[in-house]
């Protein structure tokens, strides 16, 4: 029986160009009214996205910069809401979308591990059982009791990924942040993600690295200008991307 854990229905997200705050209330109101009347100020980051992801699936998301990849993950992770449509999620979600996502800058690495676990709904005992493995994988033992605001980008990613992968979420969302890490750490992350997927957990992985996508993902979607252009077997979707078929707005289904 197919168990769908993510279902996106007709998702669209619009952003408005320009800055609202002019430090003058009357001018701000006039600017808002102008924007609402002028559709040229509207940028559709996503348009009519419908998608179902099954439990245990590793789904790659590829496309040019500005194609809507990060926006889609932010909507799925509830960081932002869609302008139109809805997303239903079954299970706990952990996301690593930006360096330091979910961390409190003033708290130490140790405190943030427990904070992340509690946010995921875990009990302190469960977090304690995973704590040593999280710290060992991250390699930040020496800085564990230092506020994360003093961490480098690479250290933040190491700890963030380790927390997200070890605290047993049913769904793991990962953006391009792994590119911040060194080659050795990226290799370890791929190995850990494969291990996580073999345990029946679901992964959505955004990357510009086609070798990483090909190595990890069994299915893939190609986004172009906020729309799904291709969806299906990873090798075929990657081939479409590399052959510049993304400039053709027609939908390609390889499933």
């Amino acid at each position: 029986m197919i168990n769908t854990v993510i279902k996106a229905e007709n998702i669209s997200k619009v952003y408005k160009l320009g800055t609202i705050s002019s430090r003058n209330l009357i001018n701000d109101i006039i600017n808002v009214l102008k924007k609402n009347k002028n559709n040229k100020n509207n940028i559709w980051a996503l348009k009519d996205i419908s998608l179902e992801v099954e439990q245990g699936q590793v789904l790659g998301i590829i496309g040019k910069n500005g194609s809507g990849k990060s926006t889609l993950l932010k909507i799925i992770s509830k960081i932002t809401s869609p302008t139109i449509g809805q997303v239903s999620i079954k299970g706990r979600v952990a996301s690593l979308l930006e360096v330091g996502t979910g961390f409190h800058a003033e708290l130490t690495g140790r405190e943030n591990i427990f904070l992340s676990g509690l946010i995921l709904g875990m009990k302190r005992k469960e977090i304690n059982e995973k704590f040593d493995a999280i710290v060992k994988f991250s390699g930040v033992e020496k800085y564990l009791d230092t506020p994360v605001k003093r961490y480098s980008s690479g250290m933040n990613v190491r700890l963030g990924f380790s927390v997200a992968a070890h605290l047993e979420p049913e769904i793991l969302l990962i953006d391009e942040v792994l590119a911040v890490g060194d080659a050795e750490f990226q290799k370890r992350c791929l190995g850990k993600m494969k291990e996580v997927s073999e345990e029946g957990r679901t992964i959505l992985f955004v990357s510009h690295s086609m070798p990483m996508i090909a190595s990890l993902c069994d299915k893939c979607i190609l986004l172009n200008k906020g729309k799904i252009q291709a969806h299906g077997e990873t090798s075929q979707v990657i081939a479409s991307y590399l052959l510049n078929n993304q400039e053709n707005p027609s939908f390609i289904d390889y499933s």
Side-chain angles (χ1 to χ4, degrees), residues 16-138:
K16 296 183 183 297
L17 294 178
T19 302
I20 291 178
S21 180
S22 63
R23 298 188 178 182
N24 182 298
L25 179 60
I26 299 299
N27 287 341
D28 283 349
I29 293 173
I30 292 172
N31 288 338
V32 169
L33 291 174
K34 285 182 178 178
K35 289 177 187 291
N36 288 338
K37 290 180 179 179
N38 190 354
N39 288 332
K40 290 189 295 184
N41 289 315
N42 293 344
I43 297 295
W44 290 91
L46 294 175
K47 198 71 180 289
D48 298 325
I49 299 291
S50 292
L51 181 68
E52 291 190 14
V53 184
E54 300 170 14
Q55 180 182 355
Q57 186 174 343
V58 184
L59 179 68
I61 304 174
I62 62 175
K64 291 181 177 180
N65 288 331
S67 61
K69 305 184 299 296
S70 296
T71 300
L72 178 58
L73 287 194
K74 286 178 180 178
I75 289 175
I76 292 173
S77 63
K78 308 294 185 182
I79 290 175
T80 188
S81 300
T83 305
I84 301 170
Q86 62 181 7
V87 177
S88 55
I89 306 289
K90 187 186 297 183
R92 297 185 299 197
V93 178
S95 56
L96 189 61
L97 308 185
E98 296 174 357
V99 174
T101 299
F103 285 169
H104 191 297
E106 299 295 332
L107 298 181
T108 67
R110 183 187 304 274
E111 291 166 335
N112 272 297
I113 291 173
F114 282 94
L115 176 63
S116 297
L118 292 172
I119 289 172
L120 280 173
M122 300 182 71
K123 295 181 179 178
R124 193 174 185 86
K125 180 181 177 182
E126 295 177 87
I127 303 169
N128 276 321
E129 290 173 352
K130 299 286 183 181
F131 187 85
D132 289 343
I134 291 170
V135 174
K136 183 178 180 181
F137 189 94
S138 69

